[in-house]
Amino acid sequence: MSNSTIASGATAYVSHSSCGMHDMGKGHPECPARLAAIQDRLIAAGLWDYLLHVDAEPATRAQVERVHLAPYLDELAQRSPAVGTVQLDPDTAINAYTLRAAYHAAGAGIRAADLVMQGKAQNAFCAIRPPGHHAERDKSMGFCFFNNVAVAAYHLIAEYGLQRIAIIDFDVHHGNGTEDICAGDERILMVSIFQHPFYPYSGDQPKGSNMLNVPMARAATGQDFREVVSERWLPALRAFAPEFILISAGFDAHLEDDMGSLGLVEADYAWVTRQLMKIAAEFSSHRIVSLLEGGYDLSALGRSVAEHVRVLTGE
Protein backbone atom coordinates (compact mmCIF):
# COMPACT_ATOMS: atom_id res chain seq x y z
CA MET A 1 0.00 0.00 0.00
CA SER A 2 1.43 3.40 -0.97
CA ASN A 3 1.59 6.30 1.46
CA SER A 4 -1.03 8.17 -0.55
CA THR A 5 -3.64 5.51 0.18
CA ILE A 6 -3.01 5.33 3.92
CA ALA A 7 -5.63 7.20 5.90
CA SER A 8 -5.08 8.71 9.32
CA GLY A 9 -7.04 7.36 12.26
CA ALA A 10 -6.74 3.75 11.18
CA THR A 11 -4.73 0.79 12.43
CA ALA A 12 -1.91 -0.31 10.16
CA TYR A 13 -1.02 -3.99 9.84
CA VAL A 14 2.63 -4.15 8.89
CA SER A 15 4.24 -7.38 7.72
CA HIS A 16 6.27 -8.90 4.90
CA SER A 17 6.19 -12.20 3.04
CA SER A 18 9.82 -12.89 4.01
CA CYS A 19 8.71 -13.30 7.63
CA GLY A 20 7.08 -16.56 6.58
CA MET A 21 10.26 -17.92 4.99
CA HIS A 22 12.41 -18.02 8.11
CA ASP A 23 12.12 -21.61 9.33
CA MET A 24 14.08 -23.19 12.19
CA GLY A 25 13.06 -26.76 11.44
CA LYS A 26 10.20 -29.20 11.73
CA GLY A 27 8.46 -29.08 15.09
CA HIS A 28 9.99 -25.76 16.18
CA PRO A 29 7.35 -23.71 18.03
CA GLU A 30 8.45 -20.42 16.45
CA CYS A 31 7.14 -21.43 13.04
CA PRO A 32 5.71 -19.76 9.91
CA ALA A 33 2.25 -21.08 10.80
CA ARG A 34 2.07 -18.47 13.57
CA LEU A 35 1.50 -15.66 11.07
CA ALA A 36 -1.02 -17.72 9.12
CA ALA A 37 -2.95 -18.40 12.32
CA ILE A 38 -3.10 -14.67 13.06
CA GLN A 39 -4.29 -13.84 9.56
CA ASP A 40 -6.94 -16.57 9.63
CA ARG A 41 -8.32 -15.35 12.93
CA LEU A 42 -8.37 -11.70 11.88
CA ILE A 43 -10.33 -12.70 8.79
CA ALA A 44 -12.74 -14.84 10.83
CA ALA A 45 -13.21 -11.99 13.32
CA GLY A 46 -14.13 -9.57 10.55
CA LEU A 47 -11.12 -7.34 11.23
CA TRP A 48 -8.86 -8.06 8.26
CA ASP A 49 -10.57 -5.72 5.80
CA TYR A 50 -10.59 -2.84 8.29
CA LEU A 51 -6.81 -2.77 8.61
CA LEU A 52 -4.38 -0.80 6.47
CA HIS A 53 -2.12 -3.49 5.05
CA VAL A 54 1.41 -2.21 4.63
CA ASP A 55 4.50 -4.07 3.41
CA ALA A 56 7.54 -3.59 5.60
CA GLU A 57 10.76 -2.38 4.08
CA PRO A 58 14.00 -3.90 5.36
CA ALA A 59 15.80 -2.00 8.07
CA THR A 60 19.15 -0.68 6.94
CA ARG A 61 22.36 -1.89 8.46
CA ALA A 62 22.84 1.56 10.02
CA GLN A 63 19.40 1.42 11.64
CA VAL A 64 20.11 -1.99 13.15
CA GLU A 65 23.57 -0.84 14.30
CA ARG A 66 21.87 1.68 16.59
CA VAL A 67 21.19 -1.26 18.91
CA HIS A 68 23.49 -4.10 17.78
CA LEU A 69 27.28 -4.24 17.44
CA ALA A 70 28.76 -4.46 13.94
CA PRO A 71 30.84 -7.60 14.66
CA TYR A 72 27.66 -9.39 15.75
CA LEU A 73 25.89 -8.48 12.51
CA ASP A 74 28.94 -9.64 10.55
CA GLU A 75 28.94 -12.95 12.40
CA LEU A 76 25.28 -13.56 11.59
CA ALA A 77 25.93 -12.88 7.92
CA GLN A 78 28.92 -15.21 7.92
CA ARG A 79 26.95 -18.03 9.56
CA SER A 80 23.93 -17.68 7.28
CA PRO A 81 23.78 -20.85 5.14
CA ALA A 82 22.95 -21.08 1.45
CA VAL A 83 20.87 -24.18 2.16
CA GLY A 84 19.64 -25.96 5.29
CA THR A 85 19.90 -24.53 8.78
CA VAL A 86 22.73 -23.65 11.15
CA GLN A 87 22.06 -23.97 14.87
CA LEU A 88 23.21 -20.88 16.79
CA ASP A 89 22.12 -22.21 20.18
CA PRO A 90 19.83 -25.05 21.32
CA ASP A 91 16.72 -22.91 20.62
CA THR A 92 17.75 -20.68 17.73
CA ALA A 93 18.67 -21.59 14.16
CA ILE A 94 19.30 -19.63 10.99
CA ASN A 95 18.37 -20.63 7.44
CA ALA A 96 18.96 -19.04 4.05
CA TYR A 97 16.02 -16.66 4.51
CA THR A 98 16.43 -15.77 8.18
CA LEU A 99 18.44 -12.58 7.81
CA ARG A 100 16.12 -11.24 5.12
CA ALA A 101 13.20 -11.91 7.44
CA ALA A 102 15.03 -10.35 10.40
CA TYR A 103 15.82 -7.15 8.51
CA HIS A 104 12.18 -6.93 7.40
CA ALA A 105 10.94 -7.62 10.93
CA ALA A 106 13.08 -4.78 12.27
CA GLY A 107 12.03 -2.64 9.33
CA ALA A 108 8.36 -3.26 10.11
CA GLY A 109 8.72 -1.47 13.44
CA ILE A 110 10.42 1.45 11.70
CA ARG A 111 7.76 1.61 9.00
CA ALA A 112 5.00 1.47 11.58
CA ALA A 113 6.63 4.18 13.68
CA ASP A 114 6.94 6.41 10.63
CA LEU A 115 3.29 5.91 9.67
CA VAL A 116 2.12 6.82 13.15
CA MET A 117 4.50 9.77 13.59
CA GLN A 118 3.51 11.16 10.18
CA GLY A 119 -0.20 10.87 10.94
CA LYS A 120 -0.83 8.26 8.27
CA ALA A 121 -2.09 5.75 10.82
CA GLN A 122 -3.21 6.19 14.40
CA ASN A 123 -1.53 3.02 15.58
CA ALA A 124 -0.09 -0.19 14.16
CA PHE A 125 0.40 -3.90 14.72
CA CYS A 126 3.50 -5.55 13.26
CA ALA A 127 2.89 -9.20 12.35
CA ILE A 128 6.51 -10.22 12.21
CA ARG A 129 8.93 -13.00 12.86
CA PRO A 130 11.57 -13.68 13.96
CA PRO A 131 10.66 -12.01 17.25
CA GLY A 132 13.17 -9.77 18.98
CA HIS A 133 13.03 -9.10 22.70
CA HIS A 134 15.66 -11.71 23.70
CA ALA A 135 18.26 -10.40 21.23
CA GLU A 136 20.99 -8.62 23.18
CA ARG A 137 23.38 -6.05 21.79
CA ASP A 138 25.82 -8.73 20.64
CA LYS A 139 23.94 -12.00 20.98
CA SER A 140 21.06 -13.91 19.42
CA MET A 141 19.00 -16.13 21.69
CA GLY A 142 15.49 -17.34 22.43
CA PHE A 143 14.40 -17.41 18.76
CA CYS A 144 15.51 -13.76 18.35
CA PHE A 145 18.17 -12.16 16.12
CA PHE A 146 17.49 -8.39 16.02
CA ASN A 147 15.74 -6.55 18.82
CA ASN A 148 12.85 -5.18 16.80
CA VAL A 149 11.30 -3.04 19.54
CA ALA A 150 14.64 -1.45 20.43
CA VAL A 151 15.35 -0.71 16.75
CA ALA A 152 12.00 1.09 16.59
CA ALA A 153 12.66 3.01 19.81
CA TYR A 154 16.04 4.30 18.71
CA HIS A 155 14.65 5.17 15.28
CA LEU A 156 12.09 7.38 17.01
CA ILE A 157 14.83 9.01 19.06
CA ALA A 158 17.20 9.51 16.12
CA GLU A 159 14.72 10.63 13.47
CA TYR A 160 12.05 12.45 15.46
CA GLY A 161 13.92 13.60 18.55
CA LEU A 162 11.57 11.90 20.99
CA GLN A 163 12.76 11.92 24.58
CA ARG A 164 10.22 9.71 26.38
CA ILE A 165 9.41 6.33 24.86
CA ALA A 166 7.62 3.62 26.82
CA ILE A 167 8.22 -0.04 26.01
CA ILE A 168 5.60 -2.42 27.39
CA ASP A 169 6.41 -6.14 27.40
CA PHE A 170 3.78 -8.71 28.45
CA ASP A 171 5.46 -11.79 26.99
CA VAL A 172 5.71 -14.77 29.38
CA HIS A 173 9.51 -14.54 29.11
CA HIS A 174 11.57 -11.60 30.37
CA GLY A 175 12.74 -9.29 27.59
CA ASN A 176 16.37 -9.59 28.58
CA GLY A 177 17.61 -8.29 25.24
CA THR A 178 15.56 -5.11 25.44
CA GLU A 179 16.80 -4.55 28.98
CA ASP A 180 20.41 -5.21 27.89
CA ILE A 181 20.12 -2.53 25.20
CA CYS A 182 17.98 0.06 26.98
CA ALA A 183 18.94 -0.17 30.66
CA GLY A 184 20.17 3.17 31.96
CA ASP A 185 18.77 5.21 29.06
CA GLU A 186 16.35 7.57 30.78
CA ARG A 187 14.68 8.39 27.45
CA ILE A 188 13.13 4.93 27.64
CA LEU A 189 10.91 3.43 30.33
CA MET A 190 10.41 -0.33 30.06
CA VAL A 191 7.63 -1.96 32.06
CA SER A 192 7.22 -5.71 31.94
CA ILE A 193 5.78 -8.84 33.47
CA PHE A 194 7.18 -12.32 33.03
CA GLN A 195 7.04 -15.71 34.68
CA HIS A 196 9.87 -16.19 37.18
CA PRO A 197 11.88 -18.27 37.74
CA PHE A 198 11.75 -19.15 34.06
CA TYR A 199 13.73 -18.72 30.86
CA PRO A 200 15.87 -16.63 30.42
CA TYR A 201 16.25 -16.55 34.23
CA SER A 202 16.71 -12.80 34.41
CA GLY A 203 14.77 -9.64 35.19
CA ASP A 204 14.32 -10.10 38.93
CA GLN A 205 17.24 -7.71 39.47
CA PRO A 206 16.67 -4.73 37.14
CA LYS A 207 19.77 -3.37 35.41
CA GLY A 208 18.62 0.25 35.48
CA SER A 209 16.23 2.66 37.18
CA ASN A 210 14.30 2.90 33.89
CA MET A 211 13.35 -0.79 34.13
CA LEU A 212 10.12 -1.70 35.94
CA ASN A 213 10.28 -5.50 35.93
CA VAL A 214 7.49 -7.37 37.71
CA PRO A 215 8.20 -11.12 38.03
CA MET A 216 5.10 -13.31 38.30
CA ALA A 217 4.91 -16.73 39.89
CA ARG A 218 3.93 -19.84 38.01
CA ALA A 219 0.12 -20.14 37.70
CA ALA A 220 -0.47 -16.41 38.20
CA THR A 221 -3.87 -15.47 36.80
CA GLY A 222 -5.27 -12.76 34.59
CA GLN A 223 -6.52 -11.02 37.74
CA ASP A 224 -2.97 -11.03 39.12
CA PHE A 225 -1.78 -9.49 35.84
CA ARG A 226 -4.46 -6.79 35.96
CA GLU A 227 -3.44 -5.87 39.50
CA VAL A 228 0.20 -5.47 38.42
CA VAL A 229 -0.82 -3.27 35.50
CA SER A 230 -3.14 -1.13 37.63
CA GLU A 231 -0.91 -0.80 40.67
CA ARG A 232 2.58 -0.77 39.14
CA TRP A 233 2.60 -0.08 35.42
CA LEU A 234 -0.02 2.64 35.03
CA PRO A 235 1.29 4.95 37.80
CA ALA A 236 4.83 4.64 36.39
CA LEU A 237 3.64 5.33 32.86
CA ARG A 238 1.65 8.37 33.94
CA ALA A 239 4.64 9.74 35.85
CA PHE A 240 6.83 9.18 32.76
CA ALA A 241 4.31 10.79 30.36
CA PRO A 242 5.46 8.91 27.26
CA GLU A 243 5.49 10.58 23.87
CA PHE A 244 5.17 7.18 22.15
CA ILE A 245 4.22 3.69 23.30
CA LEU A 246 5.84 0.55 21.90
CA ILE A 247 4.51 -2.87 22.84
CA SER A 248 6.48 -6.11 22.84
CA ALA A 249 3.33 -8.13 22.33
CA GLY A 250 4.00 -11.69 23.36
CA PHE A 251 0.93 -13.88 23.79
CA ASP A 252 2.58 -16.92 25.35
CA ALA A 253 1.33 -16.04 28.84
CA HIS A 254 -2.03 -17.39 27.61
CA LEU A 255 -3.57 -20.16 29.70
CA GLU A 256 -3.53 -22.53 26.69
CA ASP A 257 0.09 -21.89 25.70
CA ASP A 258 2.32 -24.63 27.07
CA MET A 259 5.45 -22.56 26.49
CA GLY A 260 4.75 -20.98 29.88
CA SER A 261 2.60 -21.44 32.95
CA LEU A 262 0.66 -18.20 33.39
CA GLY A 263 -3.10 -17.90 33.08
CA LEU A 264 -3.97 -14.96 30.84
CA VAL A 265 -6.86 -15.21 28.36
CA GLU A 266 -8.00 -13.08 25.42
CA ALA A 267 -10.00 -10.73 27.66
CA ASP A 268 -6.83 -9.86 29.59
CA TYR A 269 -5.01 -8.87 26.41
CA ALA A 270 -7.97 -6.75 25.34
CA TRP A 271 -8.09 -5.12 28.78
CA VAL A 272 -4.41 -4.22 28.93
CA THR A 273 -4.59 -2.84 25.39
CA ARG A 274 -7.42 -0.54 26.49
CA GLN A 275 -5.37 0.68 29.46
CA LEU A 276 -2.42 1.45 27.22
CA MET A 277 -4.66 3.24 24.73
CA LYS A 278 -5.88 5.46 27.58
CA ILE A 279 -2.28 6.33 28.44
CA ALA A 280 -1.56 6.98 24.76
CA ALA A 281 -4.61 9.24 24.48
CA GLU A 282 -3.55 11.20 27.55
CA PHE A 283 0.15 11.63 26.80
CA SER A 284 1.16 10.25 23.41
CA SER A 285 -1.32 11.67 20.88
CA HIS A 286 -2.72 8.11 20.61
CA ARG A 287 0.59 6.85 19.21
CA ILE A 288 1.09 3.11 19.70
CA VAL A 289 3.06 0.53 17.73
CA SER A 290 2.73 -3.11 18.79
CA LEU A 291 5.25 -5.73 17.63
CA LEU A 292 4.63 -9.47 17.81
CA GLU A 293 6.91 -11.42 20.13
CA GLY A 294 5.90 -14.86 21.48
CA GLY A 295 2.72 -16.93 21.33
CA TYR A 296 2.98 -20.56 20.29
CA ASP A 297 -0.41 -22.22 20.71
CA LEU A 298 -1.78 -21.30 17.29
CA SER A 299 -5.43 -21.04 18.28
CA ALA A 300 -4.74 -19.03 21.43
CA LEU A 301 -2.31 -16.80 19.52
CA GLY A 302 -4.80 -16.02 16.78
CA ARG A 303 -7.62 -15.29 19.21
CA SER A 304 -5.43 -13.13 21.46
CA VAL A 305 -4.00 -11.06 18.61
CA ALA A 306 -7.51 -10.55 17.22
CA GLU A 307 -8.70 -9.09 20.54
CA HIS A 308 -5.55 -6.95 20.84
CA VAL A 309 -6.03 -5.62 17.32
CA ARG A 310 -9.79 -5.17 17.80
CA VAL A 311 -9.10 -2.77 20.65
CA LEU A 312 -6.41 -0.96 18.66
CA THR A 313 -8.94 -0.32 15.89
CA GLY A 314 -11.30 1.27 18.39
CA GLU A 315 -13.99 -1.39 18.26
Side-chain angles (χ1 to χ4, degrees), residues 48-258:
W48 186 254
D49 291 339
Y50 288 92
L51 302 172
L52 301 171
H53 296 275
V54 180
D55 274 340
E57 299 167 0
T60 66
R61 167 94 178 209
Q63 288 168 333
V64 177
E65 280 189 8
R66 290 181 180 135
V67 305
H68 292 294
L69 300 183
Y72 165 64
L73 301 183
D74 292 340
E75 179 187 3
L76 285 179
Q78 290 162 6
R79 298 190 69 180
S80 179
V83 294
T85 61
V86 171
Q87 206 71 31
L88 301 183
D89 64 42
D91 302 314
T92 312
I94 188 169
N95 77 351
Y97 306 101
T98 296
L99 285 188
R100 184 166 187 262
Y103 275 101
H104 277 93
I110 291 171
R111 180 86 165 112
D114 286 342
L115 291 172
V116 172
M117 285 300 299
Q118 295 164 13
K120 295 170 182 172
Q122 181 165 287
N123 54 45
F125 177 75
C126 298
I128 51 174
R129 49 180 302 278
H133 75 152
H134 293 309
E136 298 184 348
R137 195 172 291 278
D138 61 352
K139 183 180 180 182
S140 62
M141 62 181 290
F143 316 159
C144 302
F145 301 89
F146 299 158
N147 197 300
N148 304 315
V149 75
V151 170
Y154 283 96
H155 173 74
L156 287 165
I157 290 169
E159 299 299 326
Y160 297 97
L162 298 191
Q163 295 297 303
R164 296 186 310 280
I165 297 170
I167 296 176
I168 288 82
D169 190 329
F170 48 69
D171 194 278
V172 78
H173 305 98
H174 173 236
N176 61 292
T178 312
E179 181 165 29
D180 176 66
I181 292 165
C182 300
D185 189 337
E186 297 300 328
R187 298 171 297 184
I188 294 173
L189 171 67
M190 181 179 177
V191 303
S192 68
I193 60 100
F194 47 91
Q195 183 178 328
H196 187 80
F198 196 47
Y199 181 90
Y201 305 100
S202 60
D204 54 319
Q205 300 293 326
K207 293 184 176 180
S209 60
N210 63 324
M211 297 286 137
L212 176 55
N213 303 343
V214 186
M216 302 192 74
R218 178 186 177 90
T221 65
Q223 183 58 41
D224 296 326
F225 170 65
R226 294 185 189 212
E227 289 174 3
V228 167
V229 172
S230 298
E231 297 172 11
R232 303 286 302 280
W233 283 12
L234 297 182
L237 288 168
R238 289 195 172 95
F240 185 65
E243 299 169 290
F244 203 107
I245 291 176
L246 295 169
I247 304 174
S248 270
F251 298 93
D252 42 5
H254 194 284
L255 180 66
E256 297 172 21
D257 198 313
D258 62 8

